[in-house]
């Protein structure tokens, strides 16, 4: 259906005199990206969405009116349409698509969530302003991003609700105002990280033997090879990968969740992901979902020639060393062409050290717990004790002389 829709709608755009003399219309570029780079992150545009995008491509003079009419007609379809287009945005269409994101944010039903949801929940208007700003920043349109940031900050609903961001450098979807923000954190805040650094060669050996990488976040990569594989996500361990990486998982299993008894703010509040890149890889500037997440970034191999920029600071990676930074700040990775042939890093996304039941009590709800009054910290802790006991029993099956194949840590 996608290909048929493209075939039906593209001819009109291609015939437009506005795009003659070698000029590429943004719809054509988008279509090319769709055809050449489908991924699991891509949302297939509906026929109505493709007709709308084609209309914008052929009539830029009325684009603002068309944006408003489309969004007001169907908020759900416009969100799906914007997501599909933005996932494959290029610099040629970034400005237009950021305007589409802002129109979605300003929809009355979208704006209403600033009043009806807590700051620890995903609120529609804040999410779509974040997306619009992200599209501009990742494509180098800094001035336009600053203007949109100021428009977002100027919003005040009838109840006085606002978007709490304090800097253009940090515009996450979820912003918990009481949490401290700084680009880099002292890694000693998480003592277990020293054990992971000491075992980096062991972890690397298992990764190289077991991991089967796939393309990482295609909409963020701006060049080269960048891949990932998830070991832990959404409270779930990848049991198949843990079977192949038993020593690594035995190091990690007791440490996550890092704050048992404190509920997650977002679905991916804590996770373990392994990244791989090759020379020439560039990961565009992006910020994470929440300021309640800290990234513990341990370089296992190939740090030479690879740097990470967080906010307005840039540092170079070192093998066997961890860098800890707040996921909510815009950050980017550059694997220089003169760098190592392969860079492998393990990243633990963990809960902000200041997140607590006291912080959440004032908020009352999160994406994961709609009503915190119904959340039982003691029950959560008991579940964690049970989990750890299960892990110990499995480890106890390993023979004392090491001749028996290690049981799965899961």
């Amino acid at each position: 259906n996608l290909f048929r829709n493209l075939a039906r709608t593209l001819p009109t755009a291609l015939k437009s005199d506005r795009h003659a003399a070698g000029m590429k219309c943004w719809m054509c570029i988008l279509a090319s990206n769709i055809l050449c780079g489908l991924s699991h992150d891509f949302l297939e545009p509906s026929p109505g969405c493709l007709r709308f995008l084609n209309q914008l491509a052929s009539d830029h003079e009325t684009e603002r009116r068309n944006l408003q009419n489309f969004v007001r007609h169907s908020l759900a379809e416009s969100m799906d349409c914007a997501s599909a287009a933005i996932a494959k945005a290029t610099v040629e269409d970034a400005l237009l698509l950021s305007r589409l994101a802002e129109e979605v944010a300003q929809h009355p039903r979208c704006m209403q969530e600033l009043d009806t949801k807590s700051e620890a929940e995903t609120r529609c208007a804040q999410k779509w302003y974040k997306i619009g700003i992200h599209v501009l920043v990742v494509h180098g349109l800094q001035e336009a991003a600053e203007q949109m940031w100021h428009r977002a900050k100027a919003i005040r609903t009838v109840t006085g609700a606002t978007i709490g961001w304090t800097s253009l450098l940090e515009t996450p979807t979820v912003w918990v105002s009481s949490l401290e923000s700084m680009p880099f954190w002292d890694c000693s805040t998480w003592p277990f990280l020293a054990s992971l650094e000491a075992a980096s060669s062991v972890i690397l050996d298992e990764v190289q033997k077991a991991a089967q990488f796939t393309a990482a976040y295609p909409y963020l990569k701006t060049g080269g090879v960048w891949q990932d594989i998830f070991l832990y996500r959404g409270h779930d361990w990848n049991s198949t990968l843990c079977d192949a990486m038993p020593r690594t998982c035995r190091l990690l299993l007791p440490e996550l969740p890092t704050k048992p008894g404190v509920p997650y703010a977002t679905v991916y509040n804590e996770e373990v992901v392994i990244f791989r890149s090759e020379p020439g890889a560039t990961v565009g500037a992006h910020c994470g979902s929440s300021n309640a997440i800290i990234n513990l970034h341990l370089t296992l191999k190939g740090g030479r020639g690879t740097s990470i920029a967080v906010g307005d600071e840039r540092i170079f990676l070192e093998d066997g060393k961890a860098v800890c930074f707040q996921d909510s700040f815009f950050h980017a990775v550059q694997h220089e062409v003169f760098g190592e042939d392969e860079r492998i890093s393990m990243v633990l996304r963990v809960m902000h050290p200041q997140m607590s039941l006291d912080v959440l009590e004032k908020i009352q709800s999160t994406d994961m717990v709609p009503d915190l009054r119904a959340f039982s910290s003691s029950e959560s802790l008991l579940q964690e004790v049970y989990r750890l006991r299960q892990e110990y029993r499995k480890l106890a099956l390993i023979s004392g002389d090491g001749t028996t194949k290690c049981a799965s840590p899961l």
Side-chain angles (χ1 to χ4, degrees), residues 260-261 376-389:
S376 171
S377 180
S378 59
E379 182 179 341
S380 177
L381 288 171
L382 284 173
Q383 290 176 349
E384 178 64 6
V385 170
Y386 175 76
R387 182 187 74 87
L388 291 174
R389 282 178 172 174

Side-chain angles (χ1 to χ4, degrees), residues 155-170:
I155 291 172
R156 183 174 295 273
T157 68
V158 292
T159 65
T162 62
I163 294 175
W165 303 325
T166 59
S167 167
L168 177 60
L169 297 176
E170 191 180 17

Side-chain angles (χ1 to χ4, degrees), residues 139-378:
H139 291 101
L141 301 172
Q142 195 68 17
E143 183 177 350
E146 291 178 5
Q147 292 171 355
M148 182 173 287
W149 184 86
H150 284 293
R151 292 197 297 273
K153 285 294 296 177
I155 291 172
R156 183 174 295 273
T157 68
V158 292
T159 65
T162 62
I163 294 175
W165 303 325
T166 59
S167 167
L168 177 60
L169 297 176
E170 191 180 17
T171 59
T173 303
V174 172
W175 176 268
V176 181
S177 58
S178 62
L179 298 179
E180 183 179 2
S181 281
M182 52 186 176
F184 291 99
W185 286 71
D186 183 350
C187 288
S188 66
T189 304
W190 299 271
F192 66 84
L193 196 52
S195 299
L196 296 179
E197 288 181 325
S200 58
S201 61
V202 172
I203 298 171
L204 175 63
D205 180 63
E206 290 194 330
V207 169
Q208 291 180 313
K209 290 178 180 178
Q212 296 182 350
F213 292 96
T214 57
Y217 303 104
Y219 58 93
L220 295 178
K221 185 190 71 174
T222 57
V225 174
W226 185 43
Q227 301 170 316
D228 69 10
I229 187 169
F230 283 88
L231 193 56
Y232 175 74
R233 199 173 205 199
H235 280 294
D236 295 323
W237 289 91
N238 183 332
S239 58
T240 300
L241 195 54
C242 270
D243 281 339
M245 299 174 58
R247 293 175 295 179
T248 299
C249 286
R250 286 202 296 270
L251 285 168
L252 293 171
L253 283 165
E255 310 301 345
L256 294 166
T258 58
K259 285 181 169 288
V262 179
Y264 286 176
T266 61
V267 64
Y268 299 132
N269 209 145
E270 295 197 319
E271 55 189 20
V272 180
V273 58
I274 302 167
F275 288 108
R276 177 185 179 275
S277 63
E278 295 180 6
T282 302
V283 182
H286 61 285
C287 60
S289 62
S290 168
N291 68 327
I293 299 173
I294 309 296
N295 288 347
L296 315 183
H297 186 289
L298 172 61
T299 302
L300 302 174
K301 174 190 178 185
R304 185 184 65 85
T306 299
S307 63
I308 183 167
V310 183
D312 54 7
E313 302 178 53
R314 178 176 293 275
I315 63 172
F316 282 88
L317 304 180
E318 296 182 48
D319 293 359
K321 298 294 182 181
V323 174
C324 302
F325 63 93
Q326 200 150 352
D327 193 45
S328 51
F329 280 85
F330 272 101
H331 52 282
V333 176
Q334 178 69 50
H335 188 155
E336 302 289 354
V337 293
F338 58 79
E340 301 288 340
D341 291 343
E342 178 182 62
R343 189 267 310 189
I344 297 177
S345 297
M346 182 171 69
V347 178
L348 283 70
R349 297 188 178 119
V350 301
M351 197 176 295
H352 193 292
Q354 294 171 355
M355 279 293 282
S356 67
L357 290 175
D358 289 340
V359 169
L360 293 174
E361 185 178 23
K362 300 172 185 176
I363 296 172
Q364 299 183 340
S365 58
T366 73
D367 277 352
M368 298 302 294
V369 186
D371 184 358
L372 284 167
R373 293 172 298 181
F375 176 79
S376 171
S377 180
S378 59

